[in-house]
Amino acid sequence: MRLETIGISGAVKRLASWTKPVGRVVLDILLPPRCAACPQEIAEDAGLCPACWATMPFIEHPVCHRFGTPFTHEIGVAALSPRAIAEPPEFDRCRSACLYQGPAKDLVHALKFSRRRELADPMGRWMARAGRELLGEAALLVPVPLHRVRLIKRQFNQSADLARAIARHGGGEYQPEVLRRVKNTRPQVGLTAKQRQKNIRGAFVVPPEQRGLIAGRRVVLVDDVFTTGSTVEACARVLLRQGAVCVDVLTFAVASDWLET
Ligand SMILES: [Zn+2]
């Protein structure tokens, strides 16, 4: 009886290993994989077509040591942009995989609004590469949270999906409960600096049961796009007040109006 059971389970396993690729082939015929950023059919799922790949605005070094925005020419190790000197942020360093334009913008929209959650994996892989100097075993990966009303509406937090993918590809400890958004803020874009600060004030808290987790730890905040920076600044302020030793930021894209010259 026991041998028979092993025999059946072995046969099922073998069948599964044959049917998986067959199923995949059938699926690819019915639903051919498409480029993550445009409708072009491609050979491999969750990849980019050659045209989108060629125009992906990946950020390459040299970059501003604080904001991670690209410089047009090499100006030395740990160089700072004029903005980083004039308005030093609450966080230590920010790194982004690409500029928020072209196919990168399409990817962010596809993940967030078309619920293409499978895109978080390649996007997280590129983020892990861009943020390799921030990651490591000791870092806590904390996604910028959504307010529960927005979470119910969207059904998932794209930043949490990205943080999970970064942990998988680049290391770090995924901790999605460290920050809670207690205020359902309106979008920051279009507001003045003063209005942004007022809008975001008191929006984030570290719940009491999470405080022991961040005391003395390095935190890497994860978000999809760095636009004005006021959201991650507000998060960093709360985390530092609650005992984090250092807060860095890792985003998929950074708005191109922060381009340094
Ligand atoms: Zn494409």
Side-chain angles (χ1 to χ4, degrees):
M1 183 63 195
R2 191 174 143 70
L3 278 174
E4 205 180 316
T5 313
I6 291 166
I8 290 168
S9 101
V12 169
K13 269 188 195 157
R14 270 201 303 279
L15 191 65
S17 69
W18 294 332
T19 53
K20 201 173 168 191
V22 172
R24 182 63 206 234
V25 169
V26 172
L27 197 67
D28 285 354
I29 292 165
L30 294 173
L31 290 168
R34 294 192 183 275
C35 169
C38 79
Q40 180 68 41
E41 285 178 19
I42 51 167
E44 198 186 320
D45 212 358
L48 290 170
C49 73
C52 287
W53 187 259
T55 53
M56 244 329 252
F58 285 117
I59 292 174
E60 304 294 344
H61 281 253
V63 297
C64 163
H65 182 68
R66 293 300 288 277
F67 283 106
T69 41
F71 288 123
T72 49
H73 56 281
E74 189 71 65
I75 56 168
V77 178
L80 297 175
S81 57
R83 175 169 163 244
I85 296 165
E87 310 162 42
E90 299 275 346
F91 53 81
D92 210 45
R93 294 164 295 177
C94 177
R95 294 293 177 267
S96 310
C98 42
L99 297 175
Y100 189 49
Q101 60 191 37
K105 200 169 184 174
D106 296 336
L107 284 171
V108 170
H109 285 218
L111 169 65
K112 192 148 70 174
F113 304 118
S114 306
R115 299 167 197 272
R116 291 198 48 194
R117 295 181 69 181
E118 77 281 5
L119 296 179
D121 192 69
M123 290 166 78
R125 195 172 65 234
W126 297 325
M127 289 168 80
R129 194 184 59 175
R132 57 190 173 275
E133 58 194 308
L134 318 179
L135 300 170
E137 281 168 28
L140 296 182
L141 285 168
V142 176
V144 170
L146 292 179
H147 187 265
R148 62 186 165 78
V149 170
R150 202 168 292 178
L151 186 62
I152 290 167
K153 210 169 146 195
R154 193 176 294 158
Q155 297 174 352
F156 74 103
N157 176 2
Q158 73 283 356
S159 301
D161 281 12
L162 292 171
R164 212 179 296 120
I166 295 165
R168 218 168 23 242
H169 293 289
E173 199 180 313
Y174 173 60
Q175 289 291 352
E177 309 291 334
V178 162
L179 276 175
R180 190 173 295 161
R181 197 173 196 134
V182 289
K183 200 169 140 190
N184 197 8
T185 52
R186 60 187 174 126
Q188 297 281 82
V189 178
L191 302 181
T192 64
K194 218 168 199 156
Q195 288 170 327
R196 286 200 300 267
Q197 276 175 9
K198 194 176 169 212
N199 185 37
I200 208 82
R201 193 175 299 141
F204 301 97
V205 296
V206 176
E209 69 275 12
Q210 296 288 327
R211 288 177 193 162
L213 189 69
I214 60 164
R217 300 290 299 273
R218 283 202 319 111
V219 174
V220 177
L221 265 171
V222 177
D223 208 357
D224 53 354
V225 186
F226 186 106
T227 39
T228 66
S230 48
T231 303
V232 286
E233 288 238 41
C235 291
R237 210 171 296 130
V238 170
L239 290 162
L240 290 167
R241 205 183 301 140
Q242 293 301 334
V245 283
C246 154
V247 177
D248 290 316
V249 178
L250 185 50
T251 70
F252 175 68
V254 59
S256 37
D257 41 346
W258 295 122
L259 267 182
E260 307 298 344
T261 48

